[in-house]
């Protein structure tokens, strides 16, 4: 077997073929003699063409790429259809060399070359006949699929090396070819979170019923040894929803890829990580940020930011610029605000000093916004006019709910002094009335916490807003329907709990779960701290543990509950935890 360099430099093996040399054929074609040219096309299109024939032709084509102008694009098209990928290593290496020569000499063929390579990432279709019906599907059981994908990546790298502008031509082609959401695990998928949760609930209920039945039938026969050994069902890590199962596999692969690129020999490679971060941020801006209520895919940013604090701060700064830029569409600015609040609340790897720095930015921006609006003609509660303002308020409230214990930990007086400096009272009392617009579960917990620490008293405003709330009546087939949606922002928390079973193992260790409030905690929220608390005096409320990632719980501010949310459901976030109005 020849080495790669020896093979490329070695002369082609002689084989039987018809016609003269390639150069002679192309020169004849230019003069109007098409006989040998047609014969050449016929030989290249032969489905039974041998490896040796392909190698000889490609060797000649590599030396004659100057002739392959746009006028010969039909011939180039035949060359791009050659069955090279599943051939011998010699054919693959010769073909990659041909691609490099072709695009470097004739960039007019760049797009067709890229389309050919990208098409190879989609498994070939096979036809299965069942009950006299032809069923066409992707051949995902090809044992060489991983090797073929690696070769295709090499082909892309070869083209990109010769043509630096390749990425801008490649992206539209990728968009055209993907996703095929109803195909296999190797393709991109999407499915509403509500559907995933419904499927999991149904599967759990069925499993519980089966377990109950089996226990009733076989309790007497159960082996003592089996009692001491936990039997794990092979399906325990499978998602009940088929598309969720595919998405789970894809996210696991994506997380593995991110880790492999960023870590070399077990250590973080800063250069590789920065390059990948820039690529992922670009994808985030184009595809994820404009997608409303995305549930899982955005976690690739969460994951890569966990590698180094500088990445998390860069991501927050990126979102902050999106939020404050008036040239961005309002919906993008609002979504950026949701990402900031959810990221600060949920990412355990973000230290409290960074949280405070972000709160300072957000709150100062809110106060400046109020300065500019409170005396103007638009100084009234209107989501259409002030959407980014309300989204920022909700981000601040949400962050405080999750992080207030850490903000006050260690030095109560200093922590309270910092929170008082944020002047929440001015924000909630302003004419724009954010407590009326933000999600009620968030408002209720924010009100309880700020009352306990005597930062602002929100309940008077909440009660007034409740009295002014007018339900929207809509007509339907079953008569008039009272619409009670109280999420006018149509907002969501992008980093609500991750529920895909396999890939969540990567996210859970760095994720801040909400700690369910006990009856004592709820009672403590009703009791304001006494003024004049000494610096060293700990309040009872601070003695509880900070939120732990020990499991999914039900009480947390949630963007998805049925009466407050945008389209899909979630678990493990503070739900509609209502702290009663203090009498």
């Amino acid at each position: 077997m020849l080495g790669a360099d020896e093979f490329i430099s070695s002369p082609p093996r002689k084989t039987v073929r018809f016609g003269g040399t390639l150069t002679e054929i192309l020169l004849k074609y230019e003069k109007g003699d098409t006989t040998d040219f047609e014969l050449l096309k016929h030989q290249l299109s032969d489905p039974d063409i041998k490896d040796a024939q392909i190698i000889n032709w490609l060797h000649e084509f590599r030396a004659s790429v100057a002739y392959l102008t746009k006028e010969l694009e039909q011939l180039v098209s035949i060359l791009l259809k050659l069955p090279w990928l599943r051939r011998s290593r010699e054919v693959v290496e010769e073909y990659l060399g041909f691609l490099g020569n072709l695009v470097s000499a004739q960039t007019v063929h760049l797009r067709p070359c890229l389309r050919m390579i990208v098409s190879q990432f989609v498994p070939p279709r096979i036809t299965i006949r069942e009950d006299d019906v032809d069923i066409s599907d992707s051949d995902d059981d090809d044992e060489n699929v991983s090797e073929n994908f690696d070769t295709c990546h090499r082909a892309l790298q070869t083209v990109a090396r010769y043509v630096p502008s390749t990425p801008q031509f490649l992206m539209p082609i990728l968009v055209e070819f993907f996703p095929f959401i109803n195909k296999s695990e190797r393709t991109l998928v999407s499915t509403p979170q509500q559907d995933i949760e419904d499927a999991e609930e149904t599967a759990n209920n069925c499993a519980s019923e089966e377990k109950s039945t089996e226990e009733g039938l076989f309790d007497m026969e159960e082996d003592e040894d089996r009692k001491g050994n936990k039997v794990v069902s092979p399906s325990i890590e499978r998602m009940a929803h088929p598309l969720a199962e595919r998405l789970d596999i894809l996210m696991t692969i994506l997380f593995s890829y991110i880790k492999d690129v960023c870590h070399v020999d077990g250590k973080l490679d800063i250069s590789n990580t920065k390059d990948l971060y820039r690529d992922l941020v670009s994808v985030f801006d184009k595809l994820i940020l404009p997608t409303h209520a995305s549930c899982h895919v955005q976690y690739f940013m969460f994951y890569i930011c966990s590698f180094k604090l500088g990445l998390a701060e860069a991501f927050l700064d990126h979102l902050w610029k999106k939020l404050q830029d008036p040239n961005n569409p309002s919906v993008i600015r609002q979504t950026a605000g949701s990402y900031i609040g959810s990221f600060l609340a949920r990412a355990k790897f973000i230290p409290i000093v960074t949280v405070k720095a972000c709160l300072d930015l957000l709150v100062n921006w809110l106060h400046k916004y109020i300065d500019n609006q409170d005396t103007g003609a638009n100084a009234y509660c209107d989501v259409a006019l002030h959407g980014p303002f309300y989204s920022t308020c909700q981000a601040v409230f949400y962050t405080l709910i999750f992080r207030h214990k850490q903000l006050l930990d260690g030095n109560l007086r200093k922590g309270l002094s910092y929170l008082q400096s944020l002047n929440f009272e001015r924000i909630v009392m302003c004419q724009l009335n954010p407590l009326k617009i933000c999600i009620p579960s968030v408002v209720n917990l924010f009100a309880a916490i700020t009352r306990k620490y005597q930062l602002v008293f929100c309940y008077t405003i909440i009660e007034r807003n409740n009295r002014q709330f007018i339900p929207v009546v809509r007509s339907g087939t079953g008569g008039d329907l009272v619409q009670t949606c109280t999420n006018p922002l149509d907002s969501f928390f992008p980093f609500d709990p991750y529920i895909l079973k396999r890939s969540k193992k990567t996210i859970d260790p760095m994720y801040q779960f909400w700690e369910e409030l006990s009856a004592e905690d709820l009672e403590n929220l009703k009791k304001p701290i006494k003024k004049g608390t000494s610096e060293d005096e700990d309040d009872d409320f601070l003695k509880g543990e900070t939120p732990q990632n020990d499991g999914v719980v039900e009480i947390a501010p949630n963007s998805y509950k049925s009466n407050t949310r945008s389209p899909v459901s979630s678990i493990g976030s503070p739900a509609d935890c209502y702290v009663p109005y203090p009498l």
Side-chain angles (χ1 to χ4, degrees):
M1 184 72 72
L2 293 174
D5 294 336
E6 294 177 306
F7 168 74
I8 295 299
S9 60
S10 64
R13 286 173 288 186
K14 298 296 182 182
T15 58
V16 178
R17 74 181 201 197
F18 301 97
T21 66
L22 178 63
T23 303
E24 292 171 348
I25 293 172
L26 295 180
L27 287 174
K28 286 182 181 179
Y29 179 75
E30 287 182 359
K31 296 176 181 179
D33 184 353
T34 62
T35 303
D36 287 349
F37 185 78
E38 293 299 325
L39 183 60
L40 168 65
K41 288 165 46 179
H42 176 74
Q43 291 182 54
L44 293 173
S45 302
D46 184 0
D48 298 322
I49 189 170
K50 307 300 183 191
D51 284 12
Q53 292 174 299
I54 294 177
I55 291 171
N56 276 279
W57 278 123
L58 289 176
H59 197 85
E60 289 193 47
F61 272 108
R62 290 182 63 181
S64 306
V65 289
Y67 293 99
L68 300 180
T69 59
K70 183 173 177 57
E71 287 70 25
L72 291 178
E73 62 182 351
Q74 184 182 18
L75 177 60
V76 173
S77 176
I78 293 174
L79 288 169
L80 295 179
K81 292 177 182 176
L82 279 173
W84 64 278
L85 187 59
R86 293 164 180 82
R87 296 275 180 162
S88 65
R89 185 183 68 85
E90 289 83 358
V91 171
V92 170
E93 296 300 331
E94 189 69 46
Y95 198 85
L96 293 178
F98 163 71
L99 287 178
N101 287 7
L102 178 64
V103 296
S104 61
Q106 304 287 351
T107 54
V108 68
H109 300 304
L110 176 62
R111 281 193 179 91
C113 287
L114 292 176
R115 289 178 62 85
M116 179 276 295
I117 297 170
V118 170
S119 69
Q120 302 291 346
F121 284 104
V122 181
R125 300 184 70 81
I126 59 173
T127 301
I128 304 172
R129 191 167 184 83
E130 291 184 3
D131 299 329
D132 296 326
V133 177
D134 288 339
I135 301 174
S136 183
D137 199 358
S138 296
D139 181 13
D140 295 322
D141 296 327
D142 184 355
E143 61 183 11
N144 298 318
V145 68
S146 296
E147 181 182 348
N148 293 339
F149 283 1
D150 289 341
T151 304
C152 290
H153 279 291
R154 284 187 59 203
L156 287 177
Q157 291 165 354
T158 299
V159 172
R161 185 165 61 249
Y162 288 104
V163 186
S165 60
T166 292
Q168 70 185 70
F169 294 95
L170 177 61
M171 185 55 70
I173 294 171
L174 291 174
V175 171
E176 178 184 348
F177 275 86
F178 296 96
F180 299 94
I181 63 172
N182 291 322
K183 298 302 175 184
S184 69
E185 290 83 352
R186 306 187 197 282
T187 59
L188 301 179
V189 293
S190 63
T191 184
Q193 185 159 339
Q194 181 64 62
D195 292 353
I196 297 175
E197 292 179 0
D198 289 347
E200 289 299 313
E201 183 178 358
T202 301
N204 289 338
N205 290 340
C206 291
S208 297
E209 291 176 3
E210 290 177 3
K211 183 178 179 181
S212 177
T213 303
E214 290 176 359
E215 287 177 350
L217 291 172
F218 302 109
D219 275 350
M220 298 300 293
E221 300 176 11
E222 189 174 30
D223 195 309
E224 288 297 323
D225 291 337
R226 188 174 179 181
K227 290 182 181 179
N229 298 323
K230 184 177 180 181
V231 179
V232 180
S233 168
S235 63
I236 195 168
E237 288 201 346
R238 290 187 63 87
M239 300 298 296
H241 195 290
L243 289 184
E245 171 68 9
R246 296 171 187 173
L247 179 60
D248 196 7
I249 293 172
L250 287 169
M251 291 303 295
T252 302
I253 295 171
L254 178 58
F255 290 152
S256 297
Y257 172 77
I258 293 172
K259 183 177 181 180
D260 290 344
V261 169
C262 296
H263 292 81
V264 178
D265 297 328
K267 295 182 179 179
L268 185 68
D269 186 299
I270 300 300
S271 178
N272 287 356
T273 302
K274 284 183 177 180
D275 289 342
L276 181 59
Y277 170 83
R278 294 187 188 100
D279 290 340
L280 292 180
V281 165
S282 177
V283 173
F284 174 82
D285 285 347
K286 292 177 182 177
L287 301 177
I288 306 301
L289 190 61
T291 301
H292 180 65
S294 177
C295 304
H296 295 99
V297 180
Q298 64 267 24
Y299 268 89
F300 65 72
M301 289 305 306
F302 193 97
Y303 182 51
I304 193 171
C305 286
S306 71
F307 293 164
K308 192 172 181 62
L309 178 58
L311 296 176
E313 292 177 339
F315 184 50
L316 286 166
D317 182 64
H318 181 76
L319 294 169
W320 162 242
K321 289 175 180 175
K322 295 277 186 188
L323 171 62
Q324 66 171 338
D325 186 356
N327 295 317
N328 284 328
S330 179
V331 66
I332 295 297
R333 298 174 67 191
Q334 290 175 219
T335 305
S338 297
Y339 268 93
I340 291 174
S342 194
F343 192 56
L344 289 174
R346 296 297 195 171
K348 291 176 68 174
F349 48 83
I350 297 181
I352 200 64
V353 64
T354 303
V355 174
K356 290 175 70 173
C358 292
L359 284 176
D360 288 340
L361 280 175
L362 296 173
V363 171
N364 287 337
W365 184 84
L366 290 175
H367 284 301
K368 288 179 181 178
Y369 192 95
I370 294 170
D371 290 338
N372 294 332
Q373 298 291 335
D374 237 6
T375 57
N378 294 328
Y380 56 89
C381 186
D382 190 324
V383 175
L385 289 175
H386 308 296
F389 170 81
Y390 295 122
S391 181
T392 306
C393 287
Q394 185 161 280
V396 170
F397 299 164
Y398 193 70
T399 302
L400 182 70
I401 290 169
F402 273 85
R403 295 285 196 161
H404 70 276
K405 290 185 179 182
Q406 292 169 281
L407 288 167
L408 296 167
D409 191 27
N411 191 322
L412 182 58
R413 179 174 294 177
K414 187 176 180 180
L416 286 175
S417 177
Y418 169 72
L419 291 178
Q420 288 165 357
S421 72
L422 298 178
N423 196 0
F424 288 128
E425 183 173 12
R426 182 170 186 253
I427 295 173
V428 302
M429 298 286 186
C430 74
Q431 294 296 314
L432 303 182
N433 194 1
L435 297 184
K436 186 175 184 179
I437 300 299
C438 295
I439 294 175
S441 55
V442 174
V443 169
N444 284 329
L445 278 172
F446 173 77
I449 292 167
T450 53
R451 176 187 179 273
K452 175 169 184 61
Y453 295 103
Q454 299 189 27
L455 300 171
V456 59
F457 192 80
C458 300
Y459 290 101
T460 302
I461 300 173
I462 293 173
E463 289 298 315
R464 184 183 66 207
N465 290 338
N466 289 339
R467 288 195 298 270
Q468 293 174 349
F469 177 70
I470 302 175
V472 178
V473 179
R474 295 180 180 176
S475 296
T477 54
D480 289 342
L481 172 68
V482 178
Q483 182 72 19
T484 60
C485 176
T486 50
N487 183 5
L489 262 179
D490 197 21
S491 55
F492 68 106
F493 300 123
F495 297 115
D496 262 357
Y498 193 96
I499 62 174
L500 301 178
K501 294 178 180 178
R502 290 183 185 85
S503 47
K504 79 188 298 287
K505 294 176 182 177
T506 302
I507 298 300
D508 281 359
M510 61 194 69
Y511 187 78
Q512 188 73 70
F513 285 93
W514 175 259
E515 185 184 51
E516 184 174 3
L517 294 177
S518 64
E520 182 181 0
D521 289 333
L522 290 171
E523 191 64 30
N524 282 335
L525 281 177
K526 304 175 192 176
K527 300 175 182 177
I529 63 169
K530 297 178 181 178
K531 287 189 177 181
T533 301
S534 68
E535 185 172 328
D536 297 327
E537 186 178 358
D538 286 333
D539 183 76
D540 288 342
F541 187 74
L542 297 179
K543 291 180 181 177
E545 294 181 358
T546 54
Q548 301 293 323
N549 63 327
D550 55 356
V552 174
V553 293
E554 290 293 336
I555 301 183
N558 187 338
S559 53
Y560 299 121
K561 287 298 179 182
S562 58
N563 66 328
T564 64
R565 61 158 144 167
S566 52
V568 291
S569 147
S570 179
I571 56 176
S573 288
D576 297 323
C577 173
Y578 179 67
V579 180
Y581 179 86
L583 299 174

